[in-house]
Amino acid sequence: MIGFDNFEQINQFASSTIVEWYHQSVHAHFIVTSRQRLSVSMEEVYELPPFQEEEAIQFFIAQQNRIGIKESPSPKDRERISTIVQKIKTTWHSN
């Protein structure tokens, strides 16, 4: 799973990056946050209000489940997910 945050800043490159990588990789999955739609064929849009930390962690885990990662995250994995959530939150609020 590969994540990109604030993709609206480089939205014009969605077709030449995300789409190209999507078509070239069998096992990669992408989560992209953006204040604008990417307008690419395989885009699935989830309009999200700001999450509390636990809600963000649960959303992350739900997306893993959706792509076939069914096992529950270990305590160490939850800690890593929490770190990712905090970094995204810090980045998002600094813009």
Side-chain angles (χ1 to χ4, degrees), residues 44-58:
E44 293 181 33
V45 176
Y46 298 91
E47 297 207 15
L48 304 173
F51 282 137
Q52 298 299 317
E53 182 174 348
E54 186 57 32
E55 292 172 315
I57 291 169
Q58 291 305 317

Side-chain angles (χ1 to χ4, degrees), residues 10-94:
I10 55 171
N11 199 14
Q12 71 271 25
F13 300 111
S15 290
S16 62
T17 56
I18 303 292
V19 173
E20 198 62 34
W21 297 331
Y22 175 82
H23 289 298
Q24 290 183 19
S25 60
V26 177
H27 300 290
H29 297 275
F30 301 91
I31 293 180
V32 179
T33 66
S34 178
R35 294 177 186 173
Q36 302 170 347
R37 292 185 179 192
L38 302 181
S39 299
V40 295
S41 61
M42 76 290 217
E43 181 175 25
E44 293 181 33
V45 176
Y46 298 91
E47 297 207 15
L48 304 173
F51 282 137
Q52 298 299 317
E53 182 174 348
E54 186 57 32
E55 292 172 315
I57 291 169
Q58 291 305 317
F59 180 76
F60 190 98
I61 293 168
Q63 294 312 300
Q64 287 184 315
N65 290 336
R66 189 180 69 78
I67 64 170
I69 302 171
K70 300 295 185 191
E71 64 272 2
S72 295
S74 68
K76 187 70 175 171
D77 288 338
R78 276 189 72 84
E79 189 176 310
R80 289 180 180 127
I81 294 168
S82 178
T83 299
I84 292 168
V85 165
Q86 286 301 316
K87 286 182 180 183
I88 291 171
K89 182 178 178 182
T90 301
T91 302
W92 190 267
H93 290 294
S94 67

